[in-house]
Amino acid sequence: MTFSVPITVRSYELDVQGHVNQAVYLQYAEHARWECLVAAGLQADKLAAARLGPVILETTIKYRCELRSGDEVRVSCEFEWGPGKTYRIRQEMIRADGTLSAEVVGVGGVLDLDARRLVTDPAGRLRALAEKPELLGG
């Protein structure tokens, strides 16, 4: 299942060329990931109580079309789980007119906050805590 959130580009997020600064794309992606976790019932305090913390290990961004002040963009979030300790999160930033603005692929894991190591079966650990595990993908 693909989850998404709307974001309106604010003028202070622009660089000197008048489009969204490259670092802001990372913030948009992070915002969508956390909103997805919250919608699934995995608030930060719940994760902290379980001594788990989602982490991003790597991020790749492909910029396709600029975003400018006032643009409405929908940021998606789709988890891809594998057999190991890491997973992929695919995200798209699509303007209201349907134009793909950016593609973001992150590699993440779930950190055991006591051992300071990635947990095995991150999908299973998060789904077991989630109220809506379907939002975390299949």
Side-chain angles (χ1 to χ4, degrees):
M1 169 181 253
T2 301
F3 176 87
S4 68
V5 295
I7 295 175
T8 301
V9 174
R10 297 162 291 248
S11 60
Y12 61 82
E13 297 171 325
L14 306 181
D15 61 19
V16 296
Q17 287 84 14
H19 57 237
V20 170
N21 177 279
Q22 52 87 24
V24 175
Y25 285 85
L26 293 171
Q27 293 172 340
Y28 289 176
E30 179 80 359
H31 175 68
R33 288 191 301 268
W34 271 106
E35 287 297 307
C36 181
L37 291 175
V38 167
L42 296 170
Q43 294 81 359
D45 58 344
K46 185 175 188 176
L47 289 166
R51 305 301 297 147
L52 298 174
V55 294
I56 290 293
L57 305 168
E58 175 184 317
T59 304
T60 303
I61 303 173
K62 292 182 182 177
Y63 302 98
R64 301 297 187 188
C65 185
E66 67 183 353
L67 290 173
R68 300 178 62 82
S69 184
D71 281 350
E72 299 286 330
V73 63
R74 184 157 285 281
V75 183
S76 67
C77 187
E78 187 171 359
F79 288 83
E80 294 178 354
W81 305 98
K85 293 182 180 183
T86 63
Y87 52 89
R88 292 199 184 286
I89 306 168
R90 296 199 182 274
Q91 297 180 270
E92 291 184 332
M93 298 183 191
I94 300 175
R95 292 190 327 208
D97 67 3
T99 302
L100 178 63
S101 178
E103 297 169 280
V104 180
V105 177
V107 175
V110 176
L111 188 67
D112 176 314
L113 296 178
D114 295 320
R116 307 307 288 180
R117 298 277 185 240
L118 296 178
V119 302
T120 57
D121 188 23
R125 296 289 293 271
L126 292 180
R127 285 185 182 125
L129 288 172
E131 295 165 16
K132 294 183 180 178
E134 65 274 11
L135 292 177
L136 303 175

